[in-house]
Amino acid sequence: MSGTDLAARVAELKRRRHAVILAHSYQSPEVQDAADYVGDSLGLSRLAAKTDAEIILFCGVHFMAETAAILSPGKTVLIPDANAGCPMANMVAPRQLGEWRAKNPDAAVVTYVNSSAAVKALSDICCTSANAVEVVASLPAGRRTLFLPDRNLGAYVASRLGRELELWDGFCPTHERMLPEMADAARARHPGAILAAHPECRPALLAKADFVASTTGIVEFCRTNPAREFIIASEIGILHPLGKNSPGKLFHPLTSVADCPNMKLNSLEKMVWALEDLAPVVAVPPDIAQKALAPITRMLEIR
Ligand code: 13P
Ligand code: SF4
C-alpha cells in the first residue's frame, strides 16, 4: 500500500473504532499528519485525560502511552509498536528509587514523566519538561528534593530556581549526543539565527542557547518570535511541526544525529495493524496505576 492509501486506511479505521490518535512531535512526519493532535508529553497527557474516545492510539514512546492509560481508566490505549520505549525511562528501576528514598526519608521525590508507571507510583510529584520549573518551585524552598531520572533537566531546573536538587544520573541518549561545540559551529554557519534547545540537552549546551523549552514550547516560541531563522537543539522530528506552524521561516537542526530511534519505530503501517487488531494494548496493573495517578494529578493541578 502507498503512504496515501495507508493514511486513508488509518482515517477509516479511526472512525470505525471511535478512536483518537495522539502523536508526539518527534514522530515521523506521516505519523504526525495522521494524528488528531500533535504535541509534547504534557499536552498529550491532558488530551488523554479529557478525551471521550473509547480508544486512544498513542504514537509516542511507552511511558507516554502508560501515562494516558493511568489518566484514562476504562479506555483502551494502543501503541503502534510495543518496542517503542524510552532508554532514559529504563535508567531507573523501582527498586533503585525505593533504595534512594529509604536513604533520604525526609526528601521530596520529583519524577520526570520519562519514567515507568512503577517508578511514578513511588514518587511524590511528576513533571514534564514543560512544567518542571513550576513543579519544583511548588515545593517548600528548604525541602531536600530528589529529582529523577534526567540529570540534565534536573540541573536546568536547579539553575533556573537557584535551588539545590539531588539528581539521578539518567539522561536521554539522543539529546546527550548534542555537544556545546556544535552550537558554536551552527552559529558560525547561520549568523543571527536564534538557538532554541530542549532541556534534556547537556548543561554546557543549554548555557549557549537563547531559549529553552519543551517541544511544544519550542514550536510556539518559533511561531510567535519575529525572527526568521532558528537553530534547533532537539530531536529532529520536531522540524516537521516547526515547518507546519511557521511557514516561511528557516529551521536548522543543530545536528542530524539527534534522531530518537525509539520514537521512529511507529509507522503508518503499524498504526493500521494496531487499529485493526486492537493491539498492542498498553495496560498498567490497577494497584500501580492507582498509586501513579496521585503524583501525575498533583502535577496537572500545578500546570
Ligand atoms: P516533551 O516533554 O518536550 O514532549 O519531551 C519528551 C521527550 O521525550 C523529549 O525527549
Ligand atoms: Fe526518550 Fe530521548 Fe527518545 Fe525522548 S528523545 S523518547 S527522552 S530517548
Side-chain angles (χ1 to χ4, degrees), residues 234-250:
S234 188
E235 204 274 350
I236 54 171
I238 196 175
L239 295 172
H240 186 60
L242 280 168
K244 270 179 111 168
N245 282 273
S246 302
K249 295 192 180 181
L250 266 179

Side-chain angles (χ1 to χ4, degrees), residues 26 61 86-88 114 172-175 200 260 262-263:
Y26 292 167
V61 287
C86 168
M88 174 171 15
N114 294 39
C172 161
T174 298
H175 284 78
E200 286 176 11
C260 174
N262 310 285
M263 283 280 181

Side-chain angles (χ1 to χ4, degrees), residues 24 26 40-41 63-64 112 114 128-129 175 198 200 214-215:
H24 190 266
Y26 292 167
D40 63 4
S41 45
F63 76 81
M64 298 180 179
Y112 188 31
N114 294 39
T128 76
S129 61
H175 284 78
H198 193 279
E200 286 176 11
S214 75
T215 51

